[in-house]
Amino acid sequence: MPQDAFALAEKLSPDLSARPRLLIIDGRAVPAVSGKTFATINPATGEEIAQVAHGGPEDIALAVTAARKAFENPAWRRMSAVDRAALLFKLADLIEQNAEELAVLECIDNGKPASMTRWVEVEGSIRTFRYFAGWVTKFGGETLPVSPRSGAQILNYTTREPVGVAGLIVPWNYPMSMAAWKVAPALAAGCTVILKPAEQTPLTALRLGELALEAGIPAGVLNVVPGFGDAGAALVEHPDVDKVAFTGSTEVGKLIVRGATVNLKKVSLELGGKSPQIVLPDADLDAAAASIAAGIFFNQGQTCTAGSRLYAHASIHDKLLALVADQAAKLKIGNGLDAATTFGPLVSEEQWDRVSGYVEIGRNEGADVVTGGKRPAGHDKGFFFEPTILAGATPSMRVVREEIFGPVLSALSWTDPDDLVRQANDSDFGLSAGIWTNDIKQAHRLAGAVRAGTVWVNCFNMVDNATPFGGFKQSGWGREHGRNAMELYSEIKSVWVNLS
């Protein structure tokens, strides 16, 4: 992270406040057609950072037209794999060269500590672009040994072709890294893109668009249009968009599926989660407690994989809960620009109200607040909320069943292994799960029994560009990362050639 993040934020402030941040459409920075702007707010202070051009349906239409034109342009469509890879490597290099600026921008726009934005958002994005740059020269088709009934001599081969114009809608909890997760494989596959960042956190997406142009990526290949729900809906429903990728809530994901039927465009979704953390009586409780606390309090709990349901065996439940509470107490709450901060604010007042409301729901349902549950003392400004543990939870409670998307852990105890599996799977979601045990047989048995896209054993929240990420049930469609992500942005074509 920057040696003095406060100083860098102060240095950036005059330019941010002097003029609105503009949309990036067809290689140019442009105002919204309506002329409207909206404020983006620093979650640590509640104060305005900058005005941002308010993209709407008309701007989305212009961006789609630019992306379609760029997709049909031989300068992009016929670019060699080596040259396309070089552009992605160059973009990664530029992100690296501007890492401190991007880390501070993300910190003041999202609220998470600058050390985390540097590590997760910026370094993660660099790795993502470099990883998918490597795929460009390795992603293709194959020849297949067909056996036609006619006895004809046939050469059959497949090709991988870009799906076309891709609309990418990313959330506010990991703004830059989620953009990279989608933009990198889309460009690697040869698509053109309209990136729609969350209205709460548009700054790094716009800077990414600027760096893409600086890297030499042709005009119209990457367009960035910040806006609200009407812009997202226009992108989803536009008949000239071939694919939509979305990360966000399950409720919005369902709306996207309905909107995409206008032309049956391809859809991939990474949606909500209510991940169980399962602790067996033989587990290393100190290690488990540290990981459980990180699993729910990392990024202030604003993580789709957050381990928000704790299932601790009755014999170790109370001890484990005390250890997790000790971990929560060690978190340093404050402005993310402070190097000592390990726990920042929630992203917005709306999110603060949501989390606070769920804690009150938990109390009314009979759960006990072990720690947290309110605004921390000394943090009257901004959207700070204490790391919170609810004990005495039961499977029917809303705080156990519904995604809170905040730093709230609901703790339950268990004794019967079969009932444990039933409870862990009794959810609309299936994004991830954690298991803590020193019994290798039990670990594999539970990993196989839990319905989730990712299962961590004696660890939590580990991700890598090489391994698939996504969920079962209402946690989404498709998998990001690796070859799976490249397949999301491509079509496969079978070619038959009669050699007889």
Side-chain angles (χ1 to χ4, degrees):
M1 79 178 266
Q3 290 185 351
D4 190 342
F6 277 108
L8 183 50
E10 188 174 351
K11 181 180 178 181
L12 294 172
S13 180
D15 184 58
L16 289 170
S17 60
R19 55 187 174 81
R21 304 291 94 185
L22 300 179
L23 316 176
I24 297 176
I25 297 177
D26 203 13
R28 298 183 299 119
V30 296
V33 171
S34 68
K36 294 180 180 179
T37 62
F38 65 93
T40 186
I41 303 298
N42 185 334
T45 64
E47 298 171 355
E48 179 179 314
I49 304 166
Q51 288 287 317
V52 178
H54 186 150
E58 291 174 302
D59 304 289
I60 290 292
L62 292 173
V64 172
T65 298
R68 177 58 63 188
K69 182 179 69 174
F71 182 70
E72 300 297 342
N73 189 336
W76 179 252
R77 186 70 179 272
R78 302 303 176 194
M79 182 180 289
S80 73
V82 168
D83 289 343
R84 193 170 352 123
L87 290 178
L88 294 184
F89 279 121
K90 176 63 174 174
L91 178 53
D93 291 344
L94 288 171
I95 295 170
E96 189 169 50
Q97 292 168 24
N98 292 272
E100 291 193 355
E101 174 198 349
L102 289 163
V104 168
L105 276 179
E106 199 76 294
C107 173
I108 62 176
D109 208 20
N110 168 273
K112 64 168 64 82
S115 58
M116 189 188 303
T117 61
R118 178 62 185 266
W119 162 48
V120 174
E121 304 287 356
V122 182
E123 299 296 336
S125 296
I126 294 166
R127 289 194 300 272
T128 297
F129 276 102
R130 286 177 177 160
Y131 176 84
F132 282 105
W135 265 109
V136 177
T137 56
K138 302 169 187 67
F139 186 67
E142 57 184 341
T143 57
L144 299 170
V146 295
S147 303
R149 288 190 298 272
S150 64
Q153 184 180 358
I154 297 291
L155 169 65
N156 178 258
Y157 63 91
T158 62
T159 61
R160 282 283 181 177
E161 300 183 5
V163 72
V165 174
L168 313 180
I169 304 174
V170 298
W172 48 256
N173 60 330
Y174 293 97
M176 188 171 184
S177 58
M178 290 294 99
W181 280 24
K182 290 174 171 53
V183 171
L187 298 185
C191 295
T192 56
V193 165
I194 302 96
L195 173 64
K196 193 274 179 194
E199 63 270 21
Q200 296 90 342
T201 52
L203 296 183
T204 52
L206 289 169
R207 190 71 181 104
L208 178 65
E210 293 171 353
L211 293 176
L213 293 172
E214 187 178 339
I217 291 175
V221 170
L222 174 56
N223 307 275
V224 186
V225 184
F228 291 74
D230 60 338
L235 184 58
V236 171
E237 295 170 7
H238 199 293
D240 213 22
V241 173
D242 302 296
K243 189 263 182 324
V244 169
F246 170 75
T247 295
S249 72
T250 297
E251 291 74 20
V252 175
K254 292 176 180 179
L255 294 175
I256 285 173
V257 170
R258 287 195 283 271
T261 59
V262 65
N263 63 338
L264 293 180
K265 55 175 57 71
K266 304 291 189 292
V267 176
S268 57
L269 305 167
E270 197 268 280
L271 305 176
K274 194 68 180 175
S275 302
Q277 293 247 40
I278 297 169
V279 186
L280 276 62
D282 70 316
D284 180 334
L285 296 190
D286 290 324
S291 186
I292 289 163
I296 183 58
F297 301 136
F298 185 79
N299 201 33
Q300 296 71 249
Q302 299 170 132
T303 301
C304 54
T305 57
S308 55
R309 292 186 289 152
L310 174 60
Y311 294 92
H313 190 270
S315 64
I316 49 94
H317 174 275
D318 293 350
K319 181 178 180 180
L320 178 62
L321 218 56
L323 290 170
V324 176
D326 288 344
Q327 292 289 329
K330 294 176 183 177
L331 294 169
K332 170 63 174 159
I333 301 173
N335 190 317
L337 295 173
D338 185 340
T341 294
T342 57
F343 189 90
L346 299 175
V347 75
S348 65
E349 183 176 10
E350 178 185 9
Q351 193 64 15
W352 194 97
D353 290 341
R354 175 184 174 88
V355 174
S356 177
Y358 265 108
V359 173
E360 189 60 27
I361 288 169
R363 283 194 179 102
N364 292 337
E365 289 179 323
D368 299 317
V369 178
V370 173
T371 187
K374 61 185 186 304
R375 180 184 292 275
H379 293 281
D380 297 331
K381 292 183 178 180
F383 313 124
F384 293 93
F385 197 89
E386 293 176 329
T388 301
I389 299 174
L390 302 178
T394 59
S396 62
M397 289 182 177
R398 288 181 62 189
V399 291
V400 174
R401 304 200 65 80
E402 298 176 14
E403 185 177 37
I404 299 172
F405 220 66
V408 181
L409 177 67
S410 298
L412 306 91
S413 66
W414 63 274
T415 54
D416 180 77
D418 293 331
D419 188 53
L420 165 67
V421 171
R422 184 193 62 77
Q423 287 191 50
N425 287 334
D426 184 19
S427 173
D428 292 334
F429 305 106
L431 188 57
S432 61
I435 298 168
W436 286 87
T437 178
N438 286 317
D439 185 331
I440 191 65
K441 290 183 179 180
Q442 286 280 59
H444 283 297
R445 186 185 71 81
L446 285 170
V450 172
R451 290 183 51 76
T454 298
V455 178
W456 293 290
V457 179
N458 295 334
C459 58
F460 201 80
N461 261 351
M462 300 188 77
V463 295
D464 191 278
N465 292 127
T467 190
F469 180 86
F472 289 15
K473 298 187 277 187
Q474 293 189 40
S475 286
W477 290 353
R479 295 293 184 271
E480 298 191 281
H481 293 327
R483 184 181 181 89
N484 303 85
M486 295 293 291
E487 291 172 350
L488 292 177
Y489 297 97
S490 66
E491 297 275 21
I492 190 166
K493 178 183 289 183
S494 177
V495 179
W496 294 66
V497 181
N498 189 343
L499 302 179
S500 300

